[in-house]
Amino acid sequence: MFPKNLSEYAIVLLLKDKADHLFSFLIFTFIVTLLSAVLFVSDAIQSDLKVATLFQPDIVVENTLAGRAYTLSEEDKEAIESLRGVTAVEGAVDGYYYFAQGRVWFHVIGDSSLRLGAMRVGSGVYTAIKAWHYEDQFNFFTPKGKITLNIEQIESKATNLLCNDVIYMHPANARAVLDLGMEHYSKLYVTVPNPNEVGELTLKIVETLPYVKATSKEEILANYQHLFYYKGGVFMILYLVCMVSFLILLKNQISLVYGEKKKEIAILRSIGYGIKDIIAIKFIQNSTVALSAFLSGVGIAYLYVFFFQAPLLRSIFLGSELEHSVEFTPIMDMNMLFLLFIFSVIPFLACVILPSWKIAIADMSEAVR
Amino acid sequence: MKTLRYVALFFGLLYSVIILHALSFESQTKAKEIQSLASRMKYTELSLSFKESAYKGFVYVP
Amino acid sequence: MKQMILRDIHKIYNASKPNAFHALKAINIEIETGEIVILKGVSGSGKSTLLSLMGGLSKPSSGDMIVEEENIAKLPDILSSRYRHEKIGFIFQSFNLLNGLSVEQNVQAPLMLSHLSHTHIDEKVMRALDIANIAHKKRQRVSDLSGGEKQRCAIARALVMNPPIILADEPTANLDTHNSRLFIEMLDTFKALGKTVVVATHDVLFEEAKAIDRYIHMKDGEIIP
């Protein structure tokens, strides 16, 4: 594409101005690293969520008022069961238990596959209680007294995204810990076999029980997507940082062509370099910097997210109260990376090549005197 | 050209490590574990701890 | 044989503007192959402008410039770059070297447009460095050289493509007397190599040079007969 000798000389000239190009390289790498890391974390979480939501109930019913969660009764369950199109309604027992010593909240979920007196805990929970010397058992302190449960299993790190702060126990134990009556439920899971009827039934449920909130599977999935679709408030700050850095970078790129470099272009022109040769040199130099920076940025982001599990950034996505030992699934959205490449490299190159062309076509006789 | 060759070699090595890591990751096993958990949990919520304990106390009525 | 023919050359800066300046008026020159010509005149007489036109660094406002039977007056950039690359070796008053590069890398610059192998390039560079007597400093950065050494590096660069024409614009303006004399001695080397040389200068030391074939006197953009 470019003559070998010219390409070599372009690199010689690039290395001559190491400091200037190093600055561009570092800023560009930083921007790409930050944006790629956000992309990787977000995609990793979303891919796990996609798998996790396979068994999502068609409609989830909760009793909320002014942002607070109340229980649902057996009557509420029967009222929903009587609606045409609903084949099953399952009552769920879950809630939050405050572990005073560790000052953290655990999410208690009733799981009928467990026997009475046994519990399975997420690894975040285990870490928190182990710090207070709980190894095989844990005591829950309720208004009605102490409840001791045996730890049967610790969930693997792979599922931390869903159960890091979760304790599974038999529903009867859960009711006791959460002080939930036998005829009360924290949520109702509604099964609607015909997907076309879900929307209508969601509205019917709210009509029947005006104090409840009914959320369809579609809405739940959309909420999750929205949460992690890198549009949240915190991400806007990150993007702002990237934008400002990028503008500084572009300004630096433009200044690379003026001053000493303007004379350099004039000198090369005077010894026989054509306009196309000057453009070729600038293109080769800046493509080398841009491509190296892009590859470095993506590589560093990958190592940061998938080797080191994104310290700091992970807290923005997942909160930081409970120690999260999440393992992100390595996923690279090539389409987004390609878009990132196009929208970063092209302006980067344009900010050098266009001014270089302008200088190259100017009268060189004054510049070389 | 020597410089470009070294740069290409460096990135070649880096991305070989990355590709090896990505390929060796047991994503199938992880997916199976998540599925098995999800089939028990049904309604999956992300494990996000509340930022302030007071907020959680406010949301959940005892 | 006539290597360079200039016919009725005019150069007007800012033409059709209130501050239009007629830098060169009706210049007619014929230079033979192998001739060494001095353009003499005070500052502002148009010597450097004429040299720029001869070197293809800028174009005349009107007139013809025939170099080796090719009219270079209105060439497009690709062809005028090729002309500068293959036919001209330019030595500038301020040397115009690429700071931050070594002597060798500076002299290599014109050759990097060619498809020659590394070995060929090195051979040509060494020959040019030897002629200019700067080979012993080839790895040194040009910013660390003295004025005279920079001049010799510039000469080596001008010679490396073996161009038939050498143009030098005030080559001794930034040199001391000793180095100025060394440059004037270079004219003998250029003559021995069969180069056609045009030097724009107002340095009286050139009157000592035996290699000079002709003087062209200029004043206010015109040639004084």
Side-chain angles (χ1 to χ4, degrees), chain C residues 159-173:
Chain C
L159 289 172
V160 80
M161 285 294 294
N162 197 22
I165 301 167
I166 303 285
L167 303 174
D169 187 6
E170 302 285 2
T172 57

Side-chain angles (χ1 to χ4, degrees), chain C:
Chain C
M1 187 196 117
K2 303 260 184 277
Q3 183 147 48
M4 200 183 274
I5 302 170
L6 278 68
R7 268 195 219 114
D8 197 30
I9 293 290
H10 290 261
K11 178 70 179 176
I12 305 168
Y13 289 106
N14 300 320
S16 72
K17 280 189 189 159
N19 58 345
F21 173 63
H22 206 147
L24 292 173
K25 301 163 190 167
I27 302 290
N28 287 283
I29 296 175
E30 287 179 6
I31 298 175
E32 304 276 344
T33 307
E35 214 182 345
I36 298 192
V37 176
I38 304 292
L39 291 176
K40 274 204 93 160
V42 297
S43 238
S45 56
K47 320 184 290 298
S48 296
T49 308
L50 182 56
L51 218 61
S52 295
L53 295 184
M54 287 179 175
L57 297 178
S58 59
K59 292 192 169 49
S61 305
S62 64
D64 293 316
M65 294 176 61
I66 321 270
V67 179
E68 294 190 348
E69 294 169 7
E70 188 184 15
N71 191 346
I72 65 156
K74 287 175 175 48
L75 287 178
D77 179 72
I78 281 186
L79 295 177
S80 86
S81 300
R82 195 190 293 171
Y83 165 74
R84 284 196 303 280
H85 186 231
E86 291 171 2
K87 299 270 162 59
I88 303 290
F90 216 118
I91 301 164
F92 298 94
Q93 178 179 337
S94 51
F95 319 124
N96 282 348
L97 299 170
L98 297 167
N99 288 325
L101 293 186
S102 66
V103 168
E104 187 178 12
Q105 286 169 333
N106 266 277
V107 175
Q108 264 174 2
L111 293 169
M112 294 318 236
L113 288 171
S114 66
H115 296 276
L116 296 171
S117 66
H118 275 292
T119 321
H120 267 128
I121 288 175
D122 290 343
E123 268 170 26
K124 285 181 178 276
V125 167
M126 277 316 298
R127 221 178 78 216
L129 291 172
D130 284 333
I131 294 171
N133 196 20
I134 190 81
H136 57 292
K137 298 261 179 176
K138 75 174 187 179
R139 297 230 188 275
Q140 205 158 332
R141 280 243 189 122
V142 296
S143 44
D144 299 333
L145 299 177
S146 69
E149 287 165 342
K150 283 182 185 170
Q151 180 68 284
R152 283 184 293 189
C153 179
I155 290 168
R157 186 180 65 188
L159 289 172
V160 80
M161 285 294 294
N162 197 22
I165 301 167
I166 303 285
L167 303 174
D169 187 6
E170 302 285 2
T172 57
N174 292 326
L175 299 177
D176 55 26
T177 312
H178 169 71
N179 284 304
S180 298
R181 287 210 161 93
L182 285 175
F183 179 83
I184 290 165
E185 279 166 24
M186 273 308 302
L187 294 178
D188 295 322
T189 311
F190 293 151
K191 196 158 194 117
L193 290 168
K195 306 293 181 199
T196 305
V197 182
V198 182
V199 182
T201 183
H202 59 260
D203 190 347
V204 296
L205 278 176
F206 277 86
E207 285 162 22
E208 296 171 10
K210 295 185 182 69
I212 296 167
D213 295 307
R214 187 164 41 128
Y215 290 87
I216 296 174
H217 297 266
M218 290 187 71
K219 188 184 175 188
D220 297 331
E222 287 176 308
I223 291 176
I224 302 166

Side-chain angles (χ1 to χ4, degrees), chain A residues 224-236:
Chain A
Y224 281 143
Q225 271 232 314
H226 179 75
L227 191 64
F228 293 105
Y229 212 51
Y230 29 86
K231 284 177 193 160
V234 179
F235 300 132
M236 292 315 288

